[in-house]
Amino acid sequence: MLRIEALGKTYRTGDRALDGISLTVAPGEVVGLIGPSGAGKSTLIRCINRLVEPSAGEILLGGEAITAVATRHLPAVRRRIGMIFQEYALVERLTVMENVLSGRLGYVPFWRSFLRRFPQRDIDAAFALLDRVGLAAHVDKRADALSGGQRQRVGIARALAQEPELLLVDEPTASLDPKTSQQIMQLICEICAERALPAIVNIHDVALAQRFVSRIVGLHGGRVVYDGTPDGLSTTVLERIYGVADWSALAQPDGERCDAAPAALLATGAGL
């Protein structure tokens, strides 16, 4: 479980990016983080994995205050947090399997990683993960030969290879077409439910968040201005999150959310 208590971040310029953020994310819960540019979404994610140092407050993962961990111990903390990136962050010249196994680099001696000689347990686990994300037939392909949807699936498998206690997902669908975006969101939600894995998804697409996550947190000016169900995102709430805007044309998508979206959505996902 992730617990954030009164988290604040003020930069040297005096700009306050986060102002008293308090959240709890339960095992298996996927939280959609929405808000305008500059609201503090990326800063919040970076504070959680200590890429940015908070100015105040506390972050606890599995009961351990990771904000109190010394810098020299940060690699061990970051092993516990899987990251999925908007631009995939794959090594293009490496194969799908090699990219997934890179999620184990923090667990193996340098000589093993340098020679790409990973333990058989890690290799077997990587095969299982690639099968789960629909890429079993693409194990030996180079990353630069994959489509955007396939690359994001590799990124998901790589993050899971870390055996993380938390997933942080930064705009996973921003570079994808609508159909593939739905498949990727569905996949993330299903995997989190299967593994009781808490996740925070930074996402700009409000309609997509409404369709697939059960809880949405809206940030504005570094503060939480909404924390509730997708159904609670009324026009008034959206204007509070994003400022003055015409949200009347925002269509509520049909269909069920994360736990009940049609399985057929994923049926052809490996080829996207």
Side-chain angles (χ1 to χ4, degrees):
M1 182 172 74
L2 173 71
R3 191 163 82 248
I4 301 171
E5 298 181 349
L7 193 69
K9 175 60 182 178
T10 302
Y11 290 102
R12 292 181 180 179
T13 59
D15 295 327
R16 181 174 293 179
L18 300 175
D19 186 5
I21 301 289
S22 293
L23 294 172
T24 297
V25 185
E29 184 176 30
V30 180
V31 174
L33 191 64
I34 66 171
S37 298
K41 304 187 301 298
S42 294
T43 301
L44 176 57
I45 285 179
R46 289 174 175 270
C47 281
I48 293 171
N49 62 17
R50 292 282 301 275
L51 290 175
V52 168
E53 291 297 326
S55 305
E58 193 172 40
I59 302 168
L60 298 100
L61 180 60
E64 179 184 358
I66 61 176
T67 38
V69 172
T71 302
R72 67 181 181 276
H73 297 309
L74 281 180
V77 170
R78 290 179 180 140
R79 283 202 304 254
R80 301 165 60 193
I81 302 173
M83 281 289 301
I84 299 171
F85 302 92
Q86 172 182 342
E87 297 298 335
Y88 322 123
L90 304 181
V91 181
E92 298 290 309
R93 62 183 176 82
L94 296 184
T95 67
V96 167
M97 173 60 78
E98 289 169 330
N99 271 282
V100 173
L101 285 172
S102 70
R104 300 300 299 168
L105 291 178
Y107 295 90
V108 299
F110 172 77
W111 71 269
R112 278 189 176 274
S113 62
F114 181 77
L115 297 174
R116 302 178 192 172
R117 294 180 61 182
F118 290 86
Q120 190 61 45
R121 172 190 176 276
D122 291 350
I123 295 171
D124 292 343
F127 273 115
L129 286 170
L130 286 169
D131 183 58
R132 177 62 187 88
V133 301
L135 291 178
H138 302 275
V139 169
D140 295 322
K141 278 189 178 180
R142 281 177 44 136
D144 56 9
L146 303 177
S147 67
Q150 289 171 332
R151 292 184 187 198
Q152 194 58 282
R153 289 169 185 268
V154 176
I156 293 169
R158 179 187 55 195
L160 294 175
Q162 294 179 220
E163 299 179 352
E165 299 171 41
L166 170 71
L167 272 185
L168 298 178
V169 188
D170 189 21
E171 287 292 337
T173 64
S175 303
L176 304 177
D177 63 75
K179 180 182 178 182
T180 308
S181 295
Q182 292 178 52
Q183 292 172 337
I184 292 299
M185 283 298 295
Q186 176 68 18
L187 181 61
I188 291 170
C189 288
E190 286 189 344
I191 286 173
C192 287
E194 292 165 5
R195 295 170 174 253
L197 186 61
I200 296 178
V201 182
N202 177 9
I203 185 168
H204 277 300
D205 191 330
V206 175
L208 195 64
Q210 284 181 295
R211 178 166 187 167
F212 287 101
V213 304
S214 58
R215 178 182 170 199
I216 290 179
V217 171
L219 296 185
H220 184 91
R223 297 182 178 182
V224 175
V225 296
Y226 179 79
D227 186 351
T229 65
D231 295 337
L233 284 177
S234 65
T235 299
T236 301
V237 170
L238 287 166
E239 288 178 355
R240 188 161 71 242
I241 295 171
Y242 288 96
V244 176
D246 180 13
W247 287 96
S248 59
L250 181 66
Q252 185 75 13
D254 295 328
E256 301 297 330
R257 283 192 286 272
C258 179
D259 55 347
L265 194 61
L266 294 173
T268 59
L272 298 172

